[in-house]
Amino acid sequence: MTNSNGDISPEVLPMGQDGLIVRFALTSSAQATSAVQRFFGIADAAKLSGVHEIAAALTSVLFKFDPLRTTRAELAKELEVLLARFDLQATEMPDAIRLWHIPVQFGGTVGPQLQEAAAMAGRSEAQAISDVTDTDLRVLTIGFAPGQPYIGLLPPQWDLPRQTELTPKVPAGALVVAVRQLVLFANPSVTGWRQIGLCAFRPFLPTRSEPIALQQGDALRFSAVTEDEMARISVDNPDGLGGARCEVLR
């Protein structure tokens, strides 16, 4: 967890009957995000005995194991060995394999809370859009709904609280913001986050050859487009990728 100096101190904790989590902090931060992403990659490459699933969340990494192949105690020891060699002070993110470029229409009727969110961050609407489009972002985790990405981290001024009341429904493709993160909704949904834009990109589409488009750890850049451009993109991309382009980096 995070100590009084702001450093992180990982804990290995039980999760259900066949899982362990390595929790780096109770709240999201740049340091915790870096630790989660780096430890996920190290643990995945380690091919831990009996582990059949590894999933990164915002502040922790989950390990699901087969009780017929290993025990909780044995896996915990393996994780402790990895943690003993792990650099907790590093803040750089691991190199991404893929970089997604995704168009977004900001503000107006498709981003009804852009002005409110920008004001809370101490930014003009134009500055807010630049903050989102100029930041090198990562898919931090997939959750809440199939294929739905939590994306971050935005600059510190975007550490905005969630709304005190829920928005009953935002549309599929809604781009929402809170706590230095963005969520791109795969389907219409209730949310406590503020909607600042809309994408034609669908992170989950069951009829697509690859239903879940994004992967944890993917790099991501948003680009601003006009209403007319978004209308054209929506028509020209029936595959649900919404004009997005995936660049393979290595």
Side-chain angles (χ1 to χ4, degrees):
M1 292 186 292
T2 307
N3 64 28
S4 58
N5 296 320
D7 296 328
I8 53 176
S9 179
E11 298 177 289
V12 179
L13 302 169
M15 176 63 71
Q17 294 184 338
D18 60 350
L20 284 168
I21 62 169
V22 176
R23 186 172 67 189
F24 290 92
L26 293 177
T27 57
S28 182
S29 68
Q31 189 178 7
T33 294
S34 169
V36 165
Q37 298 292 319
R38 289 184 292 112
F39 192 72
F40 173 88
I42 291 170
D44 189 44
K47 305 301 180 185
L48 297 165
S49 176
V51 172
H52 59 80
E53 180 182 357
I54 306 176
L58 296 176
T59 61
S60 62
V61 184
L62 169 68
F63 297 84
K64 300 284 284 185
F65 63 90
D66 181 353
L68 298 178
R69 296 174 56 201
T70 191
T71 66
R72 192 189 306 275
E74 289 170 343
L75 177 57
K77 287 180 181 179
E78 290 190 80
L79 293 174
E80 293 287 2
V81 169
L82 290 181
L83 286 168
R85 302 195 298 260
F86 185 68
D87 184 1
L88 291 172
Q89 303 306 315
T91 57
E92 77 281 359
M93 294 285 280
D95 293 336
I97 296 175
R98 307 190 304 177
L99 169 60
W100 285 88
H101 303 267
I102 301 179
V104 187
Q105 180 186 344
F106 288 95
T109 57
V110 299
Q113 293 166 298
L114 174 63
Q115 183 178 26
E116 177 187 357
M120 293 177 68
R123 311 290 278 166
S124 67
E125 288 192 36
Q127 289 172 327
I129 293 170
S130 293
D131 285 346
V132 174
T133 58
D134 292 348
T135 300
D136 292 318
L137 299 163
R138 287 295 185 93
V139 177
L140 304 179
T141 190
I142 304 290
F144 183 74
Q148 185 163 292
Y150 285 73
I151 302 162
L153 291 170
L154 289 170
Q157 62 264 28
W158 285 96
D159 192 12
L160 308 181
R162 297 169 181 82
Q163 301 176 120
T164 55
E165 295 184 4
L166 295 175
T167 300
K169 186 170 74 173
V170 295
L175 186 67
V176 301
V177 65
V179 291
R180 295 186 65 185
Q181 298 166 54
L182 298 152
V183 169
L184 174 54
F185 278 100
N187 298 291
S189 178
V190 63
T191 184
W193 297 31
R194 292 171 177 83
Q195 185 181 351
I196 61 171
L198 186 72
C199 304
F201 177 82
R202 298 293 179 267
F204 175 72
L205 196 63
T207 57
R208 197 163 50 207
S209 59
E210 294 187 17
I212 296 177
L214 300 175
Q215 298 175 9
Q216 180 269 326
D218 281 350
L220 194 149
R221 291 294 296 265
F222 288 113
S223 59
V225 297
T226 66
E227 181 178 359
D228 289 343
E229 289 171 323
M230 181 57 66
R232 176 183 56 77
I233 287 170
S234 300
V235 172
D236 292 347
N237 293 271
D239 57 3
L241 291 180
R245 178 171 59 88
C246 181
E247 178 182 353
V248 178
L249 301 178
R250 59 183 174 91

